[in-house]
Amino acid sequence: MAAARLLAAALGAALGLFAAAGKMKIVEEPNTFGYKYEFCPFHNVTQHEQTFRWNAYSGILGIWHEWEIENNTFVGMWMREGDSCETKSRQTKVHLVCGKSNKLAYVSEPSTCVYSLTFETPLVCHPHSLLVYPTLTEALQRKWDEAEQLLYDELITDQGYKKILKEIFEEAGLLKATEEKEVENKKISLEFETVEKCNKEYKQLSKEIKKLQDLLSQHGIAYKGISAENTSVEHRSQKLATAVTTVLNGSKDDEHLHGDTGIWNETV
């Protein structure tokens, strides 16, 4: 019962943040630098220069993009793709801190066209208000639970676990899905998500090496062993494949394989 009450409290706090914040428009009065800022959670951040210059700047510092998540906790809101700034777009990270009222407590520009806003609000004062898990659907929570169990049983690596969480957050709309997936699917990676996949790949490469070694033996070629400097399965496979290709193509390179007499038959 205690766990259920805790989950209900966390869910209520988290959903309260989402529901209330979406209707806010937080305005900070002109600061010492003569700017006024407006922050609309899940919408945008704007800046207005309070001067009488004919070209006073007034524009968008970022549009709602995604959350920044660490350790199952929302740590900031990213507003990106704002007005152009030289060769890039303006962007803003909004930090959420507990406060008695909703207000922009601090605004800075750590680097050119990258802004930092501190947003004080009572909506995050609850100790569980920024937890990610309670905001997910039951299906995504089950997926997360399964990933936790797989990690505990050492059936997936830490990298594989983080990848699953990233997919969960993207599916929930908390993170923007990247275009890296297509690239990752096309390229061969030496990193494995699970121990099982690693073992499977190792066995497959070992079989290929055995076939290549047998083929070299059929041609009476003694293959030179691999030095301790590079004994990876992939390296050995590449070396053997090169040797076999050389034999099958009848290469006439000056450096012959062990077992080669060095005499090439030029006649047909």
Side-chain angles (χ1 to χ4, degrees):
M1 291 297 292
R5 286 196 297 271
L6 178 62
L7 182 60
L11 178 61
L15 294 182
L17 170 63
F18 280 90
K23 302 176 183 179
M24 294 180 185
K25 181 177 181 180
I26 312 302
V27 179
E28 184 196 37
E29 293 304 316
N31 57 23
T32 55
F33 298 102
Y35 292 101
K36 180 175 75 173
Y37 297 91
E38 293 182 357
F39 169 50
C40 298
F42 306 109
H43 292 289
N44 59 31
V45 174
T46 58
Q47 181 188 57
H48 308 277
E49 185 177 349
Q50 304 296 293
T51 67
F52 295 101
R53 293 195 308 156
W54 67 271
N55 62 341
Y57 175 75
S58 180
I60 299 174
L61 302 186
I63 300 171
W64 166 243
H65 190 78
E66 63 182 353
W67 285 98
E68 182 172 318
I69 300 173
E70 292 180 3
N71 300 322
N72 185 24
T73 305
F74 296 113
V75 296
M77 304 173 72
W78 273 106
M79 306 290 193
R80 305 185 191 274
E81 299 178 4
D83 290 345
S84 61
C85 178
E86 298 178 354
T87 59
K88 58 184 179 181
S89 299
R90 301 175 192 271
Q91 58 180 327
T92 303
K93 180 179 179 179
V94 181
H95 302 266
L96 306 176
V97 298
C98 175
K100 295 181 179 180
S101 61
N102 297 316
K103 70 175 184 177
L104 292 180
Y106 184 72
V107 181
S108 64
E109 189 176 0
S111 59
T112 305
C113 301
V114 178
Y115 303 85
S116 176
L117 272 66
T118 299
F119 173 46
E120 291 185 358
T121 174
L123 293 173
V124 300
C125 291
H126 190 284
H128 306 298
S129 60
L130 292 178
L131 292 180
V132 177
Y133 186 89
T135 68
L136 302 176
T137 62
E138 290 185 5
L140 291 180
Q141 287 180 354
R142 283 195 300 272
K143 188 174 181 180
W144 192 335
D145 294 340
E146 292 169 359
E148 289 277 0
Q149 188 62 49
L150 289 173
L151 181 64
Y152 178 80
D153 294 335
E154 298 184 350
L155 297 176
I156 60 174
T157 62
D158 187 59
Q159 179 187 358
Y161 173 73
K162 290 178 180 178
K163 183 176 181 181
I164 293 174
L165 287 191
K166 185 172 182 291
E167 292 174 351
I168 291 174
F169 298 155
E170 288 178 351
E171 187 174 346
L174 304 176
L175 297 179
K176 284 284 186 181
T178 62
E179 299 176 357
E180 298 172 356
K181 292 181 179 178
E182 292 184 14
V183 177
E184 290 176 355
N185 291 335
K186 292 180 181 179
K187 70 180 181 180
I188 298 176
S189 175
L190 296 179
E191 297 178 345
F192 304 97
E193 296 175 22
T194 66
V195 176
E196 182 182 358
K197 286 185 178 180
C198 181
N199 290 334
K200 184 178 179 181
E201 188 68 19
Y202 178 83
K203 290 179 181 178
Q204 182 63 33
L205 289 174
S206 296
K207 288 181 181 179
E208 292 179 10
I209 290 175
K210 183 66 168 60
K211 289 180 181 178
L212 293 172
Q213 288 175 330
D214 291 343
L215 186 56
L216 288 174
S217 298
Q218 290 174 12
H219 287 79
I221 298 174
Y223 182 69
K224 185 177 181 181
I226 306 297
S227 66
E229 294 180 0
N230 200 333
T231 57
S232 67
V233 174
E234 184 193 33
H235 179 75
R236 292 172 60 193
S237 179
Q238 290 175 347
K239 292 280 288 183
L240 284 167
T242 301
V244 171
T245 302
T246 302
V247 172
L248 296 179
N249 292 340
S251 173
K252 300 182 181 182
D253 294 338
D254 293 334
E255 183 180 353
H256 302 302
L257 294 173
H258 291 284
D260 188 353
T261 62
I263 301 175
W264 296 90
N265 187 358
E266 299 286 354
T267 61
V268 179

